[in-house]
Amino acid sequence: MTRPTTPITVPAARIAGQDHAGTSGPDIIDPATGTPIASTGFADKSLVGRAVGAADSIRADFSRMGARARAAALLAIAREIRAQAGELAPWIAAETGKRISEAQGEVEFTAKYFDWFAEGAADLDRATLRRDATREFHVSRRAAGVSAALATWNFPLSIPGRKIAPAIAAGSPVVLKPSELAPVSSYLLTKIAERHLPDGAVAFVLGDGELVTNALLDDPRVTHASFTGSTAVGHVIAARAAATLTRVTLELGGRAPFIIAHDADRERAVANLMIAKFRNNGASCIAANNVFIHESLYDDVVADLAEQISALTVGDPFDEATDLGPAIAARFAERLNGLTSKAEESGDRVVMGKRGPATGTYATPALIEVDKSAGLWDQEIFGPVMPVQKFTDEAAIVNEVNSWRYGLAGYVCSQDVARAEGLAEAMNIGIVGINNGAPNTPEVPFGGFGESGIGREGSMSGIHAFMEEQTITIQHA
Ligand code: NAD
């Protein structure tokens, strides 16, 4: 696949099939080439209000459409996403710097969310019936109102998909606000979705993150907001949503521990770690963040990692030989390269990988045998810099991990799966991969403990977040 050659214009809003230009926003720059690939429009408060108004006006019709018809629409959207993979994947790669093969994987993963929530939607119309000696209980679910889908840039198609698919399943009209760093994929997804839905059921608004988000949260017609992004912004959103009692789902930052136990299969553990760390250029909320290696395997695993990290090809995401593409913008690459230099200055042993090409915003992959005092250990890295430490006692890791504010993902490598499961259960973490570097799929809950968020996406929980429940109790004579 080749990079898109014709620039695209992403409007400030798309409402009921119509683009609204808005005021001029920043261009989207391809981080590998430094060239503009899209111009953007930015919405003001009143345009956000129009998108919410269109969504609100369709509420009753959307609900009357019935869950089965919405499920059929979801399947049609999934089919069209797959059919348009040849356009979607290059835009994902061009706007984020993600490798083209991973961008293709993201397209398929997005379609799978629509498949999955179609299955979930099919059951939603049925009220649950319970009885006791004299009473009958009918429990039903219905969409609460308009939803806001507030997305981040690192999976610019699948994160919006993970929000709008369950909203459609639930019968909740949804206004999608993408990251201003990578809005193209979301815009294209909106255009696909709207072709299968009544006008207004899916709207798109782009603009200053704070302004648009606040306009959505302050609007009483918006009853649920699903945000993916940093923990810092998650706090701001939760506080703002409190004023209107808008319900929030928050998918926030992580600091996944990757534990290589004494009885791990070394080769498999290293292979899984390379996937869990370097997928998506390291910019994944479930990326391996703190690597704990048992002392008995430490020297060998570090030697393997040094060899594999040094061999990574850093370059153009459209080149099939590339292992790592650029960071999405210069400031992200500078931060990551700064973490490595700081660790080196503080005396940690650093093994640097290859540098990326001179043009483009590349972070250099690095392995760092870290001293806890360096500060690197204590933060979400969100890039291809890998801090490792030796450990002797798994119980101490559990204590340490449970003292962190984050609890999104974690990984355990051990040939004793039952023991690994015990270790996984002891940690306050939402998603744990055992001998597995890619633990997520649409059918299971995705989300974290503590300051990694509130609520879950994926699974049936992903739909229920968009719904209210009603209980009707009938007393018989
Ligand atoms: P971010 O929180 O800086 O930005 C996310 C979005 O928030 C932006 O697109 C912006 O429009 C908006 N925003 C910024 N400031 C705001 C404000 N004051 N009020 C309201 N909205 C505001 O995060 P990011 O850099 O885009 O993404 C990286 C973070 O996202 C990482 O911490 C990562 O772990 C997390 N993340 C989490 C998940 C998950 O599912 N848990 C998935 C992907 C990324």
Side-chain angles (χ1 to χ4, degrees):
M1 282 186 181
T2 52
R3 51 169 43 83
T5 45
T6 315
I8 191 170
T9 300
V10 182
R14 187 165 175 93
I15 304 168
Q18 295 294 317
D19 285 345
H20 299 263
T23 55
S24 175
D27 284 348
I28 304 302
I29 308 294
D30 180 332
T33 62
T35 52
I37 52 169
S39 57
T40 66
F42 263 25
D44 61 10
K45 235 175 120 177
S46 87
L47 196 46
V48 178
R50 280 175 70 181
V52 175
D56 191 51
S57 69
I58 193 73
R59 267 180 61 196
D61 288 349
F62 202 33
S63 174
R64 267 196 297 276
M65 191 176 156
R68 282 187 183 278
R70 291 196 303 272
L74 286 165
L75 290 176
I77 295 168
R79 274 195 299 277
E80 201 174 333
I81 289 170
R82 290 188 172 101
Q84 292 199 24
E87 185 187 6
L88 291 166
W91 276 112
I92 293 173
E95 70 175 341
T96 63
K98 189 188 306 262
R99 294 188 303 138
I100 188 69
S101 57
E102 290 189 69
Q104 286 170 283
E106 183 174 345
V107 174
E108 174 55 24
F109 194 53
T110 308
K112 280 189 175 149
Y113 273 110
F114 285 83
D115 288 341
W116 163 249
F117 285 118
E119 239 177 81
D123 279 336
L124 289 173
D125 275 347
R126 264 176 252 155
T128 316
L129 188 67
R130 303 244 186 284
R131 286 170 202 281
D132 65 14
T134 60
R135 293 174 301 173
E136 242 179 74
F137 303 94
H138 296 246
V139 180
S140 61
R141 294 193 187 91
R142 69 176 77 149
V146 174
S147 298
L150 312 168
T152 178
W153 57 267
N154 62 334
F155 291 92
L157 191 74
S158 65
I159 288 177
R162 193 163 80 192
K163 297 178 189 303
I164 67 174
I168 294 167
S172 174
V174 58
V175 179
L176 168 61
K177 185 208 83 67
S179 162
E180 35 312 359
L181 294 177
V184 180
S185 312
S186 284
Y187 174 57
L188 298 176
L189 179 62
T190 305
K191 287 173 79 171
I192 291 174
E194 72 186 14
R195 279 199 276 279
H196 304 280
L197 297 169
D199 276 355
V202 174
F204 166 95
V205 261
L206 172 63
D208 172 76
E210 188 174 354
L211 182 147
V212 173
T213 302
N214 287 350
L216 288 166
L217 295 174
D218 294 350
D219 193 317
R221 297 169 293 185
V222 174
T223 53
H224 174 229
S226 177
F227 170 75
T228 298
S230 64
T231 294
V233 174
H235 276 273
V236 173
I237 284 175
R240 189 85 183 194
T244 42
L245 287 185
T246 303
R247 286 186 298 159
V248 288
T249 302
L250 300 174
E251 297 291 347
L252 308 177
R255 236 189 103 178
F258 193 103
I259 303 167
I260 302 181
H262 69 278
D263 55 357
D265 173 327
R266 181 176 126 207
E267 200 177 313
R268 227 176 130 194
V270 169
N272 279 323
L273 174 53
M274 293 298 288
I275 293 168
K277 178 66 197 176
F278 294 105
R279 175 183 47 223
N280 208 40
N281 302 334
S284 162
C285 54
I286 61 168
N289 197 75
N290 295 78
V291 182
F292 296 90
I293 307 168
H294 190 265
E295 56 183 354
S296 60
L297 294 175
Y298 185 81
D299 290 343
D300 289 337
V301 168
V302 166
D304 291 347
L305 287 171
E307 190 184 324
Q308 295 197 22
I309 291 172
S310 303
L312 291 173
T313 303
V314 185
D316 189 334
F318 284 87
D319 184 340
E320 295 289 346
T322 291
D323 296 308
L324 269 181
I328 191 164
R331 68 175 189 277
F332 291 79
E334 280 157 18
R335 177 189 153 261
L336 290 160
N337 291 333
L339 290 177
T340 305
S341 335
K342 213 168 141 201
E344 207 163 21
E345 278 160 28
S346 75
D348 291 341
R349 177 176 172 254
V350 175
V351 178
M352 298 281 281
K354 292 181 197 132
R355 284 181 201 287
T359 306
T361 51
Y362 291 92
T364 307
L367 170 70
I368 301 176
E369 291 187 77
V370 78
D371 175 345
K372 277 188 187 178
S373 63
L376 181 66
W377 190 256
D378 302 320
Q379 57 182 297
E380 181 184 26
I381 291 171
F382 215 59
V385 175
M386 182 195 284
V388 300
Q389 280 202 345
K390 192 185 288 185
F391 80 91
T392 48
D393 178 12
E394 285 174 4
I397 298 181
V398 171
N399 285 339
E400 178 178 344
V401 167
N402 287 345
S403 74
W404 296 346
R405 61 184 187 137
Y406 293 124
L408 182 58
Y411 302 85
V412 181
C413 301
S414 162
Q415 294 186 77
D416 182 343
V417 171
R419 202 178 55 78
E421 216 171 338
L423 188 54
E425 282 168 3
M427 294 187 287
N428 300 329
I429 284 179
I431 307 146
V432 185
I434 295 179
N435 300 323
N436 176 277
N440 186 27
T441 182
E443 295 88 342
V444 298
F446 186 92
F449 286 47
E451 293 197 40
S452 285
I454 297 176
R456 297 290 183 269
E457 292 188 316
S459 72
M460 285 300 284
S461 313
I463 300 185
H464 294 161
F466 290 86
M467 308 193 90
E468 291 286 10
E469 285 179 315
Q470 183 179 51
T471 302
I472 298 176
T473 305
I474 303 163
Q475 177 82 51
H476 295 295

